[in-house]
Amino acid sequence: MKVEIFSDVVCPWCYIGHHRLRQAVRLYEGDVEVTHRPFQLDPDGVSGGEPLLRALERKFGGADRVAQMTGHVTGVAAQDGLELRFDRAVAANTFEAHRLVGLAGRAGRDADMADRLFRAHFTDGLDVGDPATLAMLAAETGVEDTGEGAEQVRAELARARALGVRAVPLFLFEEKFAVSGAQPVETLVAALREVEARTAQEKAVRVPAGEDCDDGTCAV
């Protein structure tokens, strides 16, 4: 089964969703091919070392509001074993990070690259828009940065807009069935099974009729 996850590496709910999807795939009885697709929460954002909390306070109207938002998602992430350190996080443009994920995908390692970028941003306090940092993270993950992939990222961002993706994470199953938000693991497993059942039914309907016997007679 093919599953696409649209996410941004500076989105905390995407980090949680990415983690839960990996768990769901391990629990699901069938084969799953997961592909990470890019989405930018702030395509006009800049990378320059600004603390993320300062950027969020400017965007959402003050420290109290941001503390409430980050406190909630930090608590949810902790229950999943993920450490979110907003006090360390750095605001960044994620285009180049998505390009690395795309390059990693050519070798089937996009999930590993995405995971490292999530941890770099939310736990390690690294600037995932900084070229030197990205080079280090790519090397750690075993991804060779050839400099390619920018056009692919632009094309996939355009596809996300055409599909109407407005919030992430979004999980797209078999290019037909979508589930949005950082759903619980059991919900994602159930979705995989439901899509499997629906896909099997569609394939059965589409099989051309062969020779058979009907009403006591046989075609010979």
Side-chain angles (χ1 to χ4, degrees), residues 53 56-57 62-74:
L53 285 178
L56 292 177
E57 289 167 6
D64 290 342
R65 171 62 175 153
V66 170
Q68 181 182 18
M69 293 166 54
T70 57
H72 173 62
V73 70
T74 297

Side-chain angles (χ1 to χ4, degrees), residues 126-147:
L126 298 177
D127 184 351
V128 295
D130 175 66
T133 299
L134 290 173
M136 177 189 71
L137 297 175
E140 283 185 17
T141 315
V143 175
E144 181 183 1
D145 186 1
T146 62

Side-chain angles (χ1 to χ4, degrees), residues 63-164:
D64 290 342
R65 171 62 175 153
V66 170
Q68 181 182 18
M69 293 166 54
T70 57
H72 173 62
V73 70
T74 297
V76 174
Q79 294 175 7
D80 283 52
L82 303 176
E83 183 183 18
L84 303 187
R85 291 294 304 270
F86 284 96
D87 57 318
R88 295 179 181 175
V90 177
N93 186 292
T94 57
F95 185 90
E96 288 297 312
H98 286 304
R99 187 180 62 79
L100 284 185
V101 174
L103 287 177
R106 298 180 183 182
R109 305 200 63 185
D110 49 333
D112 294 333
M113 190 73 249
D115 186 68
R116 186 64 190 97
L117 288 161
F118 278 125
R119 287 190 291 112
H121 177 70
F122 284 108
T123 305
D124 301 336
L126 298 177
D127 184 351
V128 295
D130 175 66
T133 299
L134 290 173
M136 177 189 71
L137 297 175
E140 283 185 17
T141 315
V143 175
E144 181 183 1
D145 186 1
T146 62
E148 302 172 294
E151 287 304 316
Q152 178 183 344
V153 173
R154 293 188 186 96
E156 291 185 351
L157 289 171
R159 175 173 175 253
R161 290 192 294 270
L163 289 172

Side-chain angles (χ1 to χ4, degrees), residues 44-65:
D44 298 320
V46 296
S47 296
E50 181 183 18
L52 178 62
L53 285 178
R54 184 187 303 165
L56 292 177
E57 289 167 6
R58 186 170 60 250
K59 182 175 182 179
F60 293 106
D64 290 342
R65 171 62 175 153

